[in-house]
Amino acid sequence: MDFTRPTPPDPYSLLPVPATFELTSADITAGDPMPADHAADGGNTSPALAWSGFPAETRSFVVSCFDPDAPTPSGYWHWHVLDVPAPVTSLPRGAGAADGSGLPAGAFQLLSDGGQVGFEGAGPPPGDHAHRYVFAVHALDVDSLGLTTENTNVHAAFNVYFHVIARATLTGTYRR
């Protein structure tokens, strides 16, 4: 199969730029290939994420992972965690488990675009170029977006747009 196609832009480069803050991980390094345990065929383990420097008026966070390089017109959502309380400044490795046991009280996950509960690891088509996995933490001006597990990733992204006051991103890559 021929996967030749243009490289999509960073998905957040197409949106207004809010304030930024820092997002780090002990498991992934910006721009580098991610370890296989963060891939669909290697464990589906969400990486540890930590953030700092967000605005004092932050009332909650949304954490997401998006693949803009998926061979679809709309990319591919691998993870969305909503209603993360403002005092929380990190998620441990494996927080994206399907049972939600690694999430802070009140937070919940949406289904990935593949229909999985929790973090769906990197899974580019074999033979395709390296895909980018954009982990983002969005600082919001509300305690909750008012969404439920019945909402889609696009619903979440759309609602985040109207409440984001700052954003931090960290992008890893993966290829099979």
Side-chain angles (χ1 to χ4, degrees), residues 114-156:
Q116 294 184 24
V117 175
F119 178 76
E120 180 181 350
D128 200 2
H129 61 83
H131 284 213
R132 294 165 291 161
Y133 295 86
V134 182
F135 290 86
V137 177
H138 312 268
L140 306 182
D141 64 0
V142 292
D143 295 329
S144 172
L145 290 174
L147 301 178
T148 71
T149 58
E150 299 299 314
N151 288 102
T152 67
N153 293 294
V154 172
H155 290 142

Side-chain angles (χ1 to χ4, degrees), residues 76-90:
Y76 193 98
W77 290 100
H78 284 260
W79 197 29
H80 249 120
V81 182
L82 280 59
D83 295 354
V84 177
V88 174
T89 59
S90 66

Side-chain angles (χ1 to χ4, degrees), residues 6-24:
T7 300
D10 176 303
Y12 298 107
S13 70
L14 303 174
L15 299 173
V17 180
T20 59
F21 56 101
E22 186 174 8
L23 175 58
T24 60

Side-chain angles (χ1 to χ4, degrees), residues 100-128:
S101 60
L103 298 177
F108 65 95
Q109 303 173 112
L110 298 179
L111 291 177
S112 70
D113 280 354
Q116 294 184 24
V117 175
F119 178 76
E120 180 181 350
D128 200 2

Side-chain angles (χ1 to χ4, degrees), residues 149-171:
T149 58
E150 299 299 314
N151 288 102
T152 67
N153 293 294
V154 172
H155 290 142
F158 182 77
N159 282 276
V160 162
Y161 177 82
F162 294 101
H163 295 285
V164 67
I165 55 175
R167 179 183 306 115
T169 62
L170 177 64
T171 302

